[in-house]
Amino acid sequence: MEPIRWKGDRLELLDQRLLPGKKQYVVCRTAAQVAKAIEDMVVRGAPAIGCAAAFGVVLGQGAPKAYAALAKSRPTAVNLFWALERMKKAASAGSALEAEALAIYQEDLAANRALGEHGAALVPERARVMTHCNTGALATAGHGTALGVVRSAKGKKVSVIACETRPYLQGARLTAWECVQEGIPCTLITDNMAGHLMSRGDVDLVIVGADRIAANGDVANKIGTYALAVMAKRHAIPFYVAAPISTFDLEIPDGSHIPIEERPASEVLGYRKLRWAPRGVQVRNPAFDVTPAELVTGIICEKGVVLHPDRESIRKLVAH
Ligand code: MRU
């Protein structure tokens, strides 16, 4: 699976809106086209957005309007802004933009493999791992974060419980697809079944990804993550967050300052051409929520695992 293909003069993005039904690439030749592809969720997942944005800067030849268009595409995943900042620094140092974008891509792949190994050590034999959204190869340069941990722990005969992830169905469409392709046993549930399964003892641990981790360890991730963390605490189920260092934002003191994207009402009113809600109803569609650090058992990143994260341990981890 190659969700992001750099071809020298163009970026090819596997259109995640059509999966699992259809495998089709969207071709981007300009920074504006990459920005639009990010906004429209052709490519999604925090690290993948960062990689795509870096190649967008290359296509836009580092022009200020290229940075501006890409920075406006989606607000929550800090990997996007982290990648743009890295590209700016490389440009001011006189380094080649293409080499920097390729480095960002390769480093993300390496970070995921490393965090996968660290995380796998925490996963018991035959564990039933609940996860949310899609954090696999599709959401990154490859391997994945939370799903990367599962991939790395495959030899332990683990299985996945994938929450479908309303309203955009990244769990049902993308995580389930990746697991089926890879031969990882996967059970799909609707989001509102998670508490029931936990209360019956059917979940051994929860592992999710992150879009931005604040300086105090609060975690912004796909809407529904907070509810899973609260329920995991209630049932004494370990709740881990897997994310590379590019997802940490030490300039944000705590989760209340993380910008939360609100997406179009149409995603809640129905799905694709089907509409089930009445005209005239009001809609909220926050795409992310914030899980307070106190509910997080540990954060897994390429440098290792921080148990019970707080301001001090996060600062040490990132500085290390
Ligand atoms: O709206 P999306 O699909 O871009 O949201 C993705 C998530 O919330 C993921 O859990 C997160 O980016 C981590 S991906 C490795």
Side-chain angles (χ1 to χ4, degrees), residues 41 44-47 74 133 135 139-140 145 170 210-211 221-222 288:
M41 313 258 283
R44 32 69 45 209
R74 291 191 78 190
C133 197
T135 61
T140 61
T145 57
Q170 290 95 328
D211 288 82
N221 190 50
K222 180 52 55 192
F288 301 95

Side-chain angles (χ1 to χ4, degrees), residues 20 131 133-135 138 147 151 160-165 169-189:
T131 192
C133 197
N134 170 263
T135 61
L138 291 167
L147 203 58
R151 272 203 167 95
V160 167
I161 300 162
C163 296
E164 70 172 346
T165 320
L169 306 180
Q170 290 95 328
R173 296 189 300 108
L174 308 176
T175 298
W177 186 64
E178 283 199 41
C179 287
V180 168
Q181 299 250 317
E182 179 111 10
I184 299 169
C186 178
T187 303
L188 177 63
I189 59 166

Side-chain angles (χ1 to χ4, degrees), residues 2-7 9-19 22-30 32-43 52 59:
E2 267 191 301
I4 300 176
R5 296 199 299 221
W6 174 244
K7 298 287 181 179
D9 63 343
R10 62 190 190 279
L11 183 66
E12 296 179 348
L13 297 168
L14 181 59
D15 192 341
Q16 300 193 28
R17 299 168 303 181
L18 307 179
L19 293 174
K22 213 174 189 183
K23 253 181 119 177
Q24 191 174 295
Y25 282 83
V26 167
V27 179
C28 302
R29 295 180 186 277
T30 67
Q33 287 171 345
V34 176
K36 179 95 174 78
I38 295 173
E39 196 180 318
D40 292 350
M41 313 258 283
V42 170
V43 58
L59 292 171

Side-chain angles (χ1 to χ4, degrees), residues 16 40 74 101 110 132 162 227 231 235 258 276 278 280 318:
Q16 300 193 28
D40 292 350
R74 291 191 78 190
H132 194 56
M231 292 188 289
H235 297 290
I258 298 177
W276 48 69
V318 175

